[in-house]
Amino acid sequence: MAHVAIQAARSPAVDLELSWTEAELPERERTKHVHRLHPYLGKFVPQLAEVFLRRYAEAGQLVWDPFAGSGTTLVEANALGLRAAGCDLSAFNCLLAQVKTAAYEPSSLAADVAWLAGGDAPAGGGESEPPASPYLSRWFAPEALAELLEFRSRIGGTAYPELWRVVLSRAARSARLARHDDLDFPREPVRGEYFCHKHRRVCRPVAEADKFLRRYARDAACRVREFGDLRTDAAVAVLEGDARAVDPPGPVDLVFTSPPYPGLIDYHEQHAYAFELLGLERRDPDEIGRGVRGYCEDVAAVLRRARRALRRTGRIVIVVNDSRGLYDGILAAAGLRLEERILREVNRRTGRRAGAYYEEVLVARP
Ligand SMILES: C[S@@+](CC[C@H](N)C(=O)[O-])C[C@H]1O[C@@H](n2cnc3c(N)ncnc32)[C@H](O)[C@@H]1O
């Protein structure tokens, strides 16, 4: 792979090599500990956040991510002893970010896993179940849905209900009547055998959820314990809301963020099953990037708000795929000037969306 890197002009000691090859940055590193708690399309690799957090922030300072998504910035900031706050419009993304950054006590985790795996009907701790919605009946085989709802009813008896809600969602994603090679945005439930491009063989629709629930519950417990060894006591705040109207909880030292790109990913729809199963409210009309129209004004409004909260010495670092060349205008409208523009080759490794593409990291100042 051709490396595209720019040596930092202001800080020659920091080597900004950001176009990592698979060998330099293998999948297990990109998806370490809580970063693989739940699939999320559109996140950046934690190592990218780490480079800029180390470069521009010091322990105790506040990092703000107005488009926090799955919480990558918040996790990496916390591990470095930085205070972190993030905002996201999607209730599911906020849940995910909270769960990733929370503290867990190992013996309570183990007790939860045992309770959730219990075969008997919930004894007292379970909740009575509302009837399955038409969406759930359409997208899950009857046995799979019954197992998911049974797990959901047990969550009330656990020490960490939010963590298990994320596990429930992850299992539901795997157990949907979706083709294995089309898990991101399946349009129609699949009810019969089909040729699967991912597994290169004939596959059948998934009929049960229990195996996923058990596997992912154990996996989640391992992952949060692993991050527990790195986690610091630095404060983390996750604010659910529209970033055009949400302020960070204090003066900000560094903004590190990646806005949605116009027309690329529908962030509500990718977790439609989670919104249904967890009873979360969707706010699709307020999602930025659903189209090009209004996009520049919306992102500029978020960055302007971030700029107002920024300390005089602070930086705003933005990861973008600016193929439409919108960001010069957006930065100007937000009252920011570009200090550095770094091109990074992203080597997508898996799935039918495989293929390299470029993204940019923009470093801006008021
Ligand atoms: C590119 S993703 C961020 C991914 C994140 N960097 C990560 O690693 O997980 C953009 C995020 O912006 C969120 N978003 C879209 N419109 C928003 C709005 N009006 N206010 C706050 N967040 C919004 C989406 O829900 C999505 O999670």
Side-chain angles (χ1 to χ4, degrees):
M1 174 167 77
H3 279 215
V4 182
I6 296 177
Q7 188 73 23
R10 62 171 283 282
S11 175
V14 182
D15 176 16
L16 279 195
E17 172 51 80
L18 305 175
S19 299
W20 299 286
T21 62
E22 181 66 29
E24 288 163 343
L25 187 56
E27 186 178 5
R28 67 167 188 286
E29 286 299 317
R30 304 192 304 270
T31 58
K32 61 187 176 179
H33 52 76
V34 290
H35 293 299
R36 177 161 282 171
L37 216 46
H38 192 286
Y40 174 103
L41 196 63
K43 61 186 170 206
F44 41 54
V45 291
Q47 288 74 15
L48 188 61
E50 186 186 348
V51 166
F52 288 93
L53 295 172
R54 285 189 186 279
R55 191 185 192 207
Y56 289 123
E58 288 167 19
Q61 291 189 333
L62 178 62
V63 176
W64 171 238
D65 185 348
F67 299 109
S70 65
T72 312
T73 302
L74 309 188
V75 170
E76 290 304 304
N78 176 274
L80 293 172
L82 303 165
R83 289 180 298 124
C87 166
D88 205 280
L89 180 70
S90 153
F92 179 72
N93 297 345
C94 290
L95 173 71
L96 192 50
Q98 268 158 8
V99 157
K100 286 182 176 180
T101 50
Y104 299 89
E105 204 274 307
S107 63
S108 303
L109 274 176
D112 276 3
V113 173
W115 159 251
L116 290 165
D120 303 334
E127 289 160 0
S128 63
E129 277 301 308
S133 69
Y135 175 98
L136 295 177
S137 305
R138 180 168 134 79
W139 277 97
F140 294 93
E143 192 185 334
L145 183 54
E147 290 165 356
L148 292 167
L149 296 182
E150 155 73 7
F151 185 94
R152 189 175 72 176
S153 75
R154 286 181 165 265
I155 287 177
T158 62
Y160 301 116
E162 306 302 1
L163 175 62
W164 309 120
R165 277 154 64 82
V166 167
V167 167
L168 173 65
S169 169
R170 184 178 174 195
R173 184 179 189 275
S174 299
R176 282 171 306 169
L177 292 173
R179 296 173 58 103
H180 299 148
D181 53 13
D182 192 19
L183 290 172
D184 290 338
F185 294 101
R187 272 174 298 251
E188 286 296 323
V190 60
R191 302 204 175 267
E193 290 184 346
Y194 60 94
F195 184 79
C196 171
H197 295 280
K198 181 174 168 187
H199 299 120
R200 293 177 198 284
R201 60 175 156 78
V202 173
C203 282
R204 280 194 205 95
V206 180
E208 52 134 350
D210 250 353
K211 65 178 181 198
F212 298 117
L213 288 163
R214 284 166 196 262
R215 192 196 311 157
Y216 296 159
R218 286 194 303 269
D219 183 65
C222 280
R223 288 180 180 278
V224 297
R225 270 200 303 264
E226 210 182 309
F227 181 58
D229 293 340
L230 307 170
R231 195 178 173 281
T232 67
D233 289 334
V236 184
V238 179
L239 311 176
E240 185 183 325
D242 186 332
R244 288 167 292 190
V246 173
D247 282 318
V252 169
D253 298 282
L254 172 66
V255 174
F256 188 77
T257 198
S258 167
Y261 310 139
L264 217 56
I265 295 174
D266 185 329
Y267 286 96
H268 277 82
E269 194 52 34
Q270 71 160 298
H271 298 126
Y273 52 93
F275 281 91
E276 284 286 335
L277 203 51
L278 304 178
L280 301 171
E281 193 186 334
R282 290 179 67 142
R283 291 185 61 179
D284 299 61
D286 295 329
E287 189 174 309
I288 296 175
R290 286 166 66 80
V292 185
R293 210 173 162 168
Y295 176 81
C296 294
E297 293 76 11
D298 290 339
V299 176
V302 174
L303 296 180
R304 229 179 353 257
R305 194 169 269 273
R307 189 206 71 210
R308 285 201 293 264
L310 197 68
R311 289 189 201 275
R312 208 173 36 82
T313 50
R315 300 285 196 299
I316 296 191
V317 180
I318 311 161
V319 181
V320 288
N321 176 348
D322 193 17
S323 50
R324 295 170 193 262
L326 304 175
Y327 272 80
D328 284 341
I330 289 175
L331 292 184
L336 295 168
R337 74 186 156 81
L338 190 64
E339 189 177 66
E340 197 174 352
R341 182 188 283 270
I342 305 161
L343 196 61
R344 162 179 136 75
E345 185 175 354
V346 183
N347 187 14
R348 270 211 210 105
R349 295 102 181 147
T350 53
R352 297 177 84 193
R353 297 161 66 97
Y357 66 98
Y358 288 90
E359 67 185 11
E360 287 173 286
V361 183
L362 311 177
V363 181
R365 303 190 70 167

